[in-house]
Amino acid sequence: MHQIRSSLLSLLLLLASSTLAQSTTQTVRGTITDADTRQPLIGATVLLAGSDPLIGATTDLDGRFALSNVPVGRIALQVRMLGYEEQNMANLLVNSAKELVLDLRLQESIVKLDAVEISGKKGRGEVRNDMAVLSARTISVEETSRIAGGINDPARMVTVFPGVAGDPTGNNTIIVRGNSPKGVLWRLEGMEIPNPNHFADDGTTGGPINVLNSDVVDNSDFYTGAFAAEYGNVTSAVFDMKLRDGNDRTREYTLKAGVLGTDLTAEGPLPGVQGGSYLANYRYSTLSLLDQAGIVDYQGVPKYTDAAFKLKLPTAKAGTFSLFGIGGRSSILQEEKGISGDSLFARSDYGSRMGVVGLTHTQLLSANTFLYTTVSLSGNGSGVVFKETDAPGELPLVTREESDMRRTTYRATSTLNTRLNANHKLRTGVIVSHDRFRMLVDSWDREQQATLRELDHDGSATTLQAFSSWKWRWSEQWSLTSGVHFLHYALNGSSSIEPRAALRYQPSTVRAFTLGAGLHSRTESIMTYFAQSTDAEGRTITPNRNLGLTRAMHAVFGYEQMLAEDVQLKAEAYYQYLYAQPVEDAPGSAFWLGNTQEWFTTKPLVSTGTGYNAGVEASIEKFFTRGWHALATASVFESRYRADDGSWYNARFNLGFVGNALVGKEWKVGAATKNKVLTTGVRYSLMGGQWNTPIDLEASRAAGTHKEGSPAMSIKGDPIGKLDVVLAYRVGRAKVSHEFKADVQNALNTQTPVYHYYSSRQDRIEAVNQLAILPVIGYTLRF
């Protein structure tokens, strides 16, 4: 072991010392294709803005370009081609240890000029999917590392956007426009995937740590409403992510060590495959490593590991294939002991896992048509064994709760993209999903003093989706996107036909108006349909087996204004009508499934509830220029629902308001020729409290478990604020770079209660506070 450590230290010193005298420049290269047809664009020019002497390149027969000897640091590129809209790429970070490889797509202009390049420009923050007109934003990997509170996690990064709130208790679960987090859809490489988070149960959409490592993720798109026709089985928000391609010319490595894990990323060209590349990452829990080494010793050490890979396999005539996969496992063993530590009261052993492996294929069928197909196999599951004593200090422990959830899903999707001409574009696709699952849940009922089986089913379910969309750009100012989505759930025969449309009017290059509306629906978690209970005659029943789809209608009006070259104002007003909502089928009940964010219920449900989310949100963003950036967002909204009893209630996630203010700056340290950068950033976020039903303390004491009182959803929590701070120091040399970073969550250690519950062990009402101060410290070596 000593020899290994010595060799590793020598290698690091050699990498650092051998590059001290070398200049810090890098290569920027990539591929430029037509956004609609994926055909390579020959003769497009790429210029490094502000370079003197001018640094530029022209694409070859394969649409490839390369800029050599580009100074490291922040750069901007101008991409132009006759007959296409100009694209400006600002705030690109060139690292001394990694080539910057770009995949650029240009949009054909509807204005035909013979010898003049078109001046239309793609706005910053716009998503790559041009069928999405509003309520959409791109999340760059670089942003997640730069913004305070992002900790390299896209799910945490999006909480700075208007109308989006995070989970104050620490998970990366998100609340969008008052909707339950259960309505969020995760996609990878154009395919729906299970919740990609550690320590996550089926039916949830968040967790404390994302399985996807930021070093393998490409820029992602995030949508908050009025979704394009291709997005189905969703009512709240869409995360549409891609894995980046590995470097197809040079081998590169990234080593990270920090609080969230220790990981290694490797990438490079595939031998014998022209243009082929590989990308692989593996991460292991740092706390688990320290625990195994005996350095830390405390109860409840979270253990997790994850991996991801992508192989790009282009062919001469059969198109381009990509084989990809992600996966993760996590577990935690917790024990509850007395103050002296000699009395064991309870033990909980929890574990979860998820994984996806898939194959994508892009085939150019003609000069104006291409087909994109993906097939995948995914699996996810979780299990827990909870034991406790019958009385304090008495042994043995008795099993009180046990669960085993397993699901395997086969998916296939194929999308045909056709450009009829510069004004008209069609996109049509089909998605088929087939689930195989096994679910078993036993829970202890304190009132009956008996173990009840709440879930026990082994079966399958098939979901069929189809969509078609059409984009019509009838002038430089006006464009219309329309389409329809079809969803059929074979488990209970539920179907939905969902028309959607969005209009964009851009009277000038600095101002635009948008208007969109559409119908949306989704299935609930499989657990909900097969949750079982006992009827009056003692028979086991599944009351929610035929529960219908949960539905919503979205309408959004938006306004965009460039206040300056690098300052943008965006505002949206929205109304979401919720209908066919699952509520409890019981007299006087105020229960609504939309107030939950995890697990399932055994209550009998019917699709008779209604509700709405209505609000206004705005943001002013100063893009990263001249070494600094800033963003201020504000959202005011109301979320209410009507239960089966006919009464209206506040929704749990009717926060009322959400706001963020952040600023960040990069400082060059030392001489201008030195590649040393200090990054600083602060973010303050404030959100309204969640609504809850008061706890009936006496009834809870009598039953020995949590019992709610009345009136339902009548207590609003206190506003929750937190300050996040990020500090990073990056040193670059030729072929190697080092970065030390600290991202401190809740730097003021604010401890506002988020919700309350009845503790039978303490015989009192306890509070669950927001996550305490958490410094996320890490080191990154790239070479």
Side-chain angles (χ1 to χ4, degrees):
M1 178 61 71
H2 176 72
Q3 292 179 343
I4 294 176
R5 291 175 178 172
S6 299
S7 299
L8 180 58
L9 179 59
S10 300
L11 174 62
L12 296 180
L13 291 174
L14 179 62
L15 287 170
S17 62
S18 64
T19 58
L20 289 176
Q22 299 180 31
S23 61
T24 51
T25 62
Q26 187 55 272
T27 297
V28 177
R29 59 185 182 83
T31 305
I32 302 178
T33 57
D34 186 295
D36 296 332
T37 67
R38 299 299 189 269
Q39 295 282 351
L41 295 182
I42 306 169
T45 60
V46 182
L47 302 177
L48 177 62
S51 58
D52 186 15
L54 183 66
I55 298 177
T58 303
T59 55
D60 61 16
L61 294 177
D62 297 318
R64 294 176 176 267
F65 71 92
L67 305 178
S68 302
N69 300 319
V70 176
V72 300
R74 303 280 175 179
I75 66 167
L77 297 180
Q78 296 176 343
V79 185
R80 299 173 179 172
M81 183 167 178
L82 182 66
Y84 285 81
E85 296 179 357
E86 177 185 325
Q87 186 172 152
N88 286 341
M89 308 290 293
N91 187 38
L92 299 174
L93 180 60
V94 179
N95 190 289
S96 61
K98 287 180 64 64
E99 289 187 340
L100 180 59
V101 183
L102 302 173
D103 179 16
L104 307 180
R105 298 172 187 171
L106 296 186
Q107 183 68 54
E108 184 181 10
S109 174
I110 60 174
V111 178
K112 295 298 183 183
L113 299 178
D114 293 332
V116 179
E117 289 154 342
I118 307 305
S119 60
K121 299 179 181 179
K122 183 178 178 65
R124 304 187 197 185
E126 288 187 14
V127 295
R128 299 187 75 172
N129 185 354
D130 66 340
M131 291 289 186
V133 175
L134 40 68
S135 297
R137 173 65 190 260
T138 286
I139 313 158
S140 74
V141 176
E142 189 272 335
E143 279 181 303
T144 63
S145 64
R146 169 168 41 91
I147 290 180
I151 59 174
N152 298 323
D153 184 350
R156 298 183 191 275
M157 164 67 193
V158 299
T159 59
V160 305
F161 298 157
V164 184
D167 183 352
T169 63
N171 281 353
N172 62 12
T173 304
I174 58 171
I175 302 163
V176 180
R177 293 179 171 176
N179 287 289
S180 167
K182 295 181 71 174
V184 175
L185 174 69
W186 289 91
R187 284 167 51 107
L188 180 66
E189 301 292 334
M191 182 79 70
E192 180 180 347
I193 62 171
N195 180 358
N197 283 284
H198 288 293
F199 305 101
D201 293 311
D202 192 37
T204 63
T205 59
I209 301 170
N210 203 306
V211 169
L212 275 168
N213 192 296
S214 61
D215 283 313
V216 299
V217 178
D218 202 348
N219 293 348
S220 304
D221 292 340
F222 182 66
Y223 307 92
T224 58
F227 311 113
E230 62 199 82
Y231 299 113
N233 198 25
V234 58
T235 55
S236 175
V238 178
F239 263 109
D240 198 357
M241 303 179 298
K242 289 182 65 65
L243 298 178
R244 68 178 179 87
D245 295 331
N247 193 317
D248 61 355
R249 294 186 183 179
T250 305
R251 291 187 179 88
E252 297 173 338
Y253 305 91
T254 301
L255 175 65
K256 286 185 176 180
V259 173
L260 295 183
T262 300
D263 65 271
L264 176 65
T265 302
E267 60 184 292
L270 281 175
V273 181
Q274 180 66 32
S277 64
Y278 69 87
L279 173 68
N281 170 269
Y282 179 77
R283 177 174 60 176
Y284 197 82
S285 165
T286 300
L287 290 178
S288 180
L289 289 173
L290 297 177
D291 178 56
Q292 294 174 31
I295 298 176
V296 298
D297 183 19
Y298 61 90
Q299 295 296 329
V301 174
K303 301 179 179 180
Y304 53 89
T305 182
D306 51 60
F309 74 90
K310 183 178 182 180
L311 303 178
K312 183 181 179 181
L313 304 166
T315 66
K317 296 182 179 180
T320 299
F321 295 86
S322 290
L323 181 66
F324 68 93
I326 65 170
R329 298 182 66 89
S330 52
S331 64
I332 186 169
L333 176 64
Q334 295 177 301
E335 292 184 341
E336 184 178 350
K337 296 183 177 181
I339 298 178
S340 62
D342 56 357
S343 298
L344 179 62
F345 296 133
R347 178 186 293 122
S348 174
D349 189 0
Y350 173 83
S352 70
R353 64 272 181 194
M354 72 80 57
V356 180
V357 61
L359 179 69
T360 71
H361 179 227
T362 302
Q363 178 66 60
L364 305 182
L365 301 180
S366 70
N368 293 313
T369 303
F370 76 95
L371 183 68
Y372 181 78
T373 303
T374 306
V375 293
S376 71
L377 170 64
S378 65
N380 65 298
S382 63
V384 65
V385 177
F386 174 72
K387 298 182 178 181
E388 66 177 354
T389 59
D390 285 325
E394 291 186 4
L395 294 176
L397 298 176
V398 180
T399 301
R400 297 302 192 196
E401 179 180 341
E402 187 170 5
S403 66
D404 184 15
M405 316 291 288
R406 306 179 185 183
R407 182 171 65 156
T408 301
T409 305
Y410 307 88
R411 287 192 175 92
T413 178
S414 189
T415 304
L416 183 67
N417 295 266
T418 302
R419 183 174 65 195
L420 302 179
N421 52 47
N423 301 81
H424 299 278
K425 175 182 177 180
L426 301 176
R427 180 177 298 163
T428 303
V430 62
I431 307 167
V432 179
S433 304
H434 181 71
D435 290 309
R436 293 287 307 174
F437 50 86
R438 170 60 179 156
M439 302 175 294
L440 179 65
V441 176
D442 289 332
S443 296
W444 177 255
D445 188 295
R446 295 185 181 273
E447 292 183 273
Q448 300 183 40
Q449 290 293 296
T451 298
L452 302 181
R453 179 148 293 183
E454 298 182 333
L455 200 57
D456 186 5
H457 194 83
D458 186 348
S460 63
T462 299
T463 304
L464 174 64
Q465 299 177 70
F467 66 89
S468 184
S469 56
W470 165 50
K471 184 165 187 175
W472 177 23
R473 298 191 296 162
W474 68 80
S475 72
E476 288 187 288
Q477 291 78 35
W478 290 93
S479 65
L480 172 68
T481 302
S482 60
V484 63
H485 189 98
F486 172 75
L487 171 63
H488 175 73
Y489 195 36
L491 180 70
N492 52 28
S494 299
S495 297
S496 177
I497 298 176
E498 303 160 8
R500 304 171 189 180
L503 184 68
R504 181 180 178 88
Y505 171 56
Q506 188 168 348
S508 69
T509 58
V510 298
R511 184 180 298 108
F513 300 87
T514 54
L515 178 65
L519 300 182
H520 310 276
S521 66
R522 68 176 178 90
T523 61
E524 295 294 340
S525 67
I526 294 178
M527 296 181 293
T528 300
Y529 298 104
F530 292 102
Q532 62 188 49
S533 58
T534 304
D535 64 11
E537 299 179 2
R539 296 174 300 185
T540 299
I541 59 173
T542 52
N544 303 322
R545 179 67 169 73
N546 295 313
L547 186 69
L549 298 172
T550 300
R551 304 171 188 261
M553 185 281 293
H554 292 186
V556 182
F557 172 74
Y559 175 73
E560 303 172 15
Q561 172 78 49
M562 292 300 299
L563 304 179
E565 184 181 1
D566 57 355
V567 180
Q568 183 184 52
L569 167 68
K570 295 186 73 172
E572 288 190 343
Y574 63 87
Y575 182 82
Q576 300 178 348
Y577 173 64
L578 315 178
Y579 62 105
Q581 297 292 306
V583 294
E584 183 179 10
D585 185 16
S589 174
F591 179 84
W592 174 43
L593 198 61
N595 285 330
T596 67
Q597 63 179 8
E598 58 187 2
W599 214 226
F600 66 98
T601 180
T602 59
K603 300 177 185 293
L605 304 174
V606 290
S607 300
T608 59
T610 59
Y612 66 86
N613 303 312
V616 177
E617 56 194 37
S619 67
I620 297 179
E621 181 172 8
K622 194 275 183 188
F623 297 111
F624 198 109
T625 57
R626 297 182 295 278
W628 70 285
H629 68 99
L631 173 66
T633 68
S635 306
V636 179
F637 60 94
E638 182 179 59
S639 302
R640 293 176 61 83
Y641 73 98
R642 185 173 64 184
D644 197 49
D645 64 358
S647 300
W648 284 90
Y649 300 92
N650 287 296
R652 175 182 174 182
F653 305 108
N654 180 19
L655 306 181
F657 64 90
V658 177
N660 289 275
L662 64 89
V663 63
K665 182 170 176 57
E666 284 190 352
W667 313 76
K668 290 188 176 181
V669 180
T673 56
K674 300 293 185 181
N675 185 19
K676 298 179 180 180
V677 178
L678 177 67
T679 301
T680 59
V682 294
R683 169 193 172 190
Y684 186 77
S685 60
L686 183 66
M687 69 178 73
Q690 299 180 10
W691 289 83
N692 288 283
T693 299
I695 300 172
D696 189 328
L697 181 58
E698 295 306 317
S700 298
R701 284 172 170 167
T705 188
H706 183 103
K707 289 293 182 180
E708 294 183 342
S710 61
M713 308 306 292
S714 59
I715 297 180
K716 183 172 178 59
D718 295 330
I720 299 173
K722 74 183 182 82
L723 177 71
D724 299 328
V725 179
V726 64
L727 181 67
Y729 180 62
R730 185 176 69 248
V731 180
R733 298 286 185 268
K735 306 302 182 183
V736 64
S737 72
H738 309 265
E739 183 179 50
F740 302 88
K741 181 181 178 182
D743 195 337
V744 184
Q745 308 281 296
N746 193 11
L748 300 180
N749 199 31
T750 308
Q751 291 289 279
T752 305
V754 180
Y755 63 89
H756 297 79
Y757 70 99
Y758 171 71
S759 170
S760 59
R761 193 171 306 283
Q762 301 297 330
D763 192 27
R764 66 188 181 204
I765 296 175
E766 299 275 6
V768 175
N769 296 332
Q770 69 184 103
L771 182 69
I773 184 173
L774 177 63
V776 180
I777 301 172
Y779 165 72
T780 301
L781 170 67
R782 302 183 190 276
F783 59 97

